[in-house]
Amino acid sequence: MTAHMATDVTGMDAPKARPSLRLPILWGLVLGAIQAASPLALAWLEAATVQALLLCFIAAVYVGFAVADGRPLVIAVECTVAAVFVLLASASVTGATWLLVAGYAGHGLKDLWQERHPFVADTRWWPPFCACVDGVVALVLTVEIAAGVNLHT
């Protein structure tokens, strides 16, 4: 019996239904909106700094999943990918805020890739959830930058 098969009442293998991703996606949209607004709650920091810190946090979550997965190659790859996002986020603190948009959009694309190619084991609900968070934040940052909002003040 494969992972996607279950025995039905006739004793025959039948496709096993996968759980819906509707709820993780909905929560991703909600948390994305909260994250996009989070600089308002941390007004003593520049908005770019808050979003950069949160991008670092998001990137590090896959390192935790990789450690739980336990394969050395997966851990090494995810640590390297997280380091790239940390460098990108760090550069955005004093550089162009478009780097934040690139970081969130890039991480969203990484999530979509993970959803299609489960490189890190047992992350079924996380990639669509996180891709929604990343997409909402990238969209809000794009609108803010296009509207002339200075995220460095």
Side-chain angles (χ1 to χ4, degrees):
M1 190 172 350
T2 65
H4 296 291
M5 301 296 277
T7 304
D8 66 13
V9 293
T10 64
M12 304 289 293
D13 284 342
K16 183 178 180 184
R18 292 176 62 145
S20 171
L21 293 175
R22 200 173 318 163
L23 195 57
I25 289 170
L26 176 63
W27 278 111
L29 295 173
V30 169
L31 189 61
I34 292 169
Q35 183 169 327
S38 63
L40 297 173
L42 301 169
W44 62 91
L45 295 173
E46 291 182 345
T49 300
V50 174
Q51 294 299 355
L53 287 169
L54 292 170
L55 179 59
C56 293
F57 171 75
I58 287 172
V61 170
Y62 275 104
V63 174
F65 284 138
V67 170
D69 179 296
R71 292 175 289 163
L73 176 63
V74 172
I75 295 168
V77 168
E78 292 300 331
C79 285
T80 302
V81 171
V84 169
F85 284 108
V86 168
L87 289 173
L88 186 62
S90 299
S92 74
V93 171
T94 57
T97 50
W98 284 108
L99 293 172
L100 286 170
V101 174
Y104 280 102
H107 196 269
L109 291 173
K110 183 214 183 291
D111 291 319
L112 293 175
W113 180 86
Q114 171 65 23
E115 172 65 14
R116 301 285 182 246
H117 307 88
F119 180 66
V120 182
D122 300 325
T123 61
R124 170 80 178 114
W125 64 272
W126 182 262
F129 164 80
C130 193
C132 289
V133 172
D134 294 334
V136 168
V137 175
L139 179 63
V140 169
L141 289 172
T142 298
V143 170
E144 287 177 338
I145 293 167
V149 175
N150 185 353
L151 301 175
H152 287 293
T153 56

